[in-house]
Amino acid sequence: MPARTTSDVLVIGGGIIGLATAWRAAQQGLGTAVADPAPGGGAAQVAAGMLAAVTELHHGEQALLALNLASAERYPDFAAELTEATGQDLGHRVCGTLAVALDADDRAELRELHLLQQRSGLDSQWLSGRECRRLEPMLAPGVRGGLRVDGDHQIDPRRLAAALVTACERAGVTFHRQRAARLTVTGGRVRGAVLDDGTALTAGQVVLAAGSLSGELAGVPAHVLPPVRPVKGQVLRLRMPAGRAPFLGRTVRAVVRGSSVYLVPRENGELVVGATSEELGWDTTVTAGGVYALLRDAHELVPGLSELPLTETRAGLRPGSPDNAPLLGPTALPGLHLATGHYRNGVLLTPVTGDAMAHVLTTGALPDAVRPFTPTRFESPPPGPAALPAAQQHGRRAQQARHDQEEQTV
């Protein structure tokens, strides 16, 4: 039986953001389709899955904090619902985070972060180096201090993506396993998209949720094209030998000589180490320098990990926006919505994004928590007369002159 080519909602992009949007839209009774050559792929296959609204706080991003906290609060129920719907374990753990510093400069930077967290009303506790090592005995003796955040948690993004694919299938979402080649716009409104194989899909509403590729879709008018860029991140995976206790009981983060590094221990014995942040366009090459820098910094934090098997090296692309915050909701082009630009918070913001997009698709209005992140904050005015061909401009001016003359006569 051929897949339906007409739907109420077409989601372009089958990463975790697009899948969560499709799942929630289908639950609201909307006929929903997803266009993606490999649903469940994308940045989630590389992400570490830290759900760290508190320790992810950066200066200048306080507006994003409220959205991150709202999504983190929803995560336990979201994960439980998804597990119930699919029978799949997502690897969700409320394990907390310990952010540590190895020298005086890094310690001063961490102290500044602690002050910012306190001013923002967040719960974090400053620890001495000795207290940090008491909490995580495998930490290096040189740790100078740290921040304990018990409210942070984690999830396995690969399991999350797989479960969302299953949940969408069971909710009746149609999958078109092709790349969307171009958007279809007629009469000043989005009508659907055309796939790589020439299949034309029609939909009442379209959600562009293609991650770092969101700004590359042909047919999107320039004034609503999302300003999303790829930001490369290299990540390593190590594994504890069978029968060995994990080196770490919680996520450990640090600034080492000005560079950020994190270690995320999984219950299955995997240890995720990441991540570089590189503005290198579409390059996804795993480099010796990137692997070396991550292992060097991780070894300074936890010297014992150098004996662990290195099981995977991988690079992915985060969808960055000009202000590091997502673009969510309707654009100036009727029928077109965005759910992209999540940068380093894509996994964290999955629950709130899915809920918000389903709400706007069914009611036409964005929830209050999401309104600061509307795409219109970056949109340029639509093309005016200056962008028209000269002859057409002259015709419009002549028409306006005749109108003005008639007004004066009256």
Side-chain angles (χ1 to χ4, degrees):
M1 181 177 177
R4 286 170 33 190
T5 57
T6 301
S7 57
D8 297 322
V9 176
L10 171 63
V11 179
I12 298 176
I16 56 174
I17 294 297
L19 292 171
T21 297
W23 182 40
R24 291 308 198 197
Q27 287 179 318
Q28 293 298 315
L30 297 173
T32 306
V34 172
D36 191 290
Q45 296 299 308
V46 184
M50 294 177 295
L51 308 177
V54 177
T55 48
E56 276 289 346
L57 178 62
H58 288 67
H59 290 279
E61 296 182 9
Q62 284 86 335
L64 181 57
L65 173 63
L67 191 66
N68 287 344
L69 289 171
S71 200
E73 185 178 355
R74 298 181 193 203
Y75 236 106
D77 289 342
F78 170 78
E81 181 186 356
L82 189 53
T83 294
E84 184 177 357
T86 63
Q88 298 177 27
D89 178 16
L90 309 181
H92 180 244
R93 294 179 61 202
V94 182
C95 61
T97 298
L98 182 64
V100 301
L102 286 170
D103 61 29
D105 290 339
D106 296 335
R107 186 176 184 273
E109 184 175 335
L110 200 57
R111 277 289 198 185
E112 286 189 15
L113 175 60
H114 188 216
L115 291 174
L116 177 62
Q117 291 169 344
Q118 289 179 316
R119 289 196 299 270
S120 303
L122 302 175
D123 186 14
S124 64
Q125 178 186 1
W126 180 262
L127 302 181
S128 66
R130 179 176 297 178
E131 289 171 326
C132 290
R133 290 188 295 276
R134 188 178 301 131
L135 201 62
E136 293 291 347
M138 297 300 291
L139 286 174
V143 167
R144 301 285 295 272
L147 287 175
R148 176 177 178 172
V149 179
D150 290 335
D152 285 352
H153 38 152
Q154 62 160 279
I155 201 165
D156 187 330
R158 294 178 176 179
R159 296 187 192 182
L160 172 63
L164 282 168
V165 170
T166 301
C168 284
E169 291 172 339
R170 294 182 178 179
V173 174
T174 299
F175 282 99
H176 300 280
R177 286 176 165 80
Q178 292 276 336
R179 185 183 69 92
R182 70 177 183 275
L183 199 67
T184 304
V185 181
T186 58
R189 182 179 179 85
V190 168
R191 304 296 177 181
V194 177
L195 304 181
D196 265 346
D197 65 358
T199 300
L201 305 179
T202 59
Q205 301 181 82
V206 173
V207 178
L208 180 50
S212 57
L213 289 167
S214 297
E216 302 294 306
L217 181 62
V220 180
H223 68 287
V224 296
L225 194 68
V228 176
R229 72 190 191 282
V231 182
K232 178 180 177 181
Q234 299 187 55
V235 175
L236 315 177
R237 283 177 165 80
L238 300 92
R239 180 164 292 279
M240 295 295 301
R244 287 278 302 275
F247 276 176
L248 301 171
R250 71 200 67 230
T251 297
V252 172
R253 306 173 64 122
V255 177
V256 182
R257 293 180 299 273
S259 297
S260 297
V261 64
Y262 56 71
L263 293 83
V264 184
R266 302 263 193 250
E267 287 185 323
N268 63 3
E270 184 178 69
L271 181 65
V272 183
V273 180
T276 65
S277 183
E278 306 166 63
E279 300 276 357
L280 293 174
W282 300 102
D283 174 47
T284 54
T285 305
V286 175
T287 65
V291 173
Y292 168 74
L294 289 173
L295 287 176
R296 177 199 62 206
D297 294 347
H299 177 265
E300 287 205 33
L301 283 176
V302 182
L305 64 75
S306 59
E307 67 186 64
L308 299 181
L310 178 61
T311 59
E312 183 181 313
T313 60
R314 195 158 177 177
L317 300 173
R318 311 175 186 91
S321 72
D323 60 2
N324 296 336
L327 291 78
L328 302 173
T331 69
L333 179 64
L336 178 64
H337 306 267
L338 299 183
T340 187
H342 292 73
Y343 192 32
R344 60 180 184 270
N345 292 308
V347 179
L348 172 61
L349 290 175
T350 295
V352 77
T353 297
D355 291 345
M357 296 308 299
H359 189 272
V360 75
L361 289 167
T362 52
T363 69
L366 275 174
D368 290 342
V370 178
R371 286 181 184 171
F373 308 100
T374 173
T376 56
R377 71 187 190 276
F378 295 125
E379 288 177 2
S380 57
L388 298 172
Q392 194 171 349
Q393 290 184 45
H394 176 75
R396 284 199 170 184
R397 286 196 294 269
Q399 185 180 21
Q400 183 64 43
R402 287 195 298 271
H403 175 75
D404 292 345
Q405 188 175 19
E406 291 170 359
E407 288 286 319
Q408 292 172 0
T409 302
V410 172

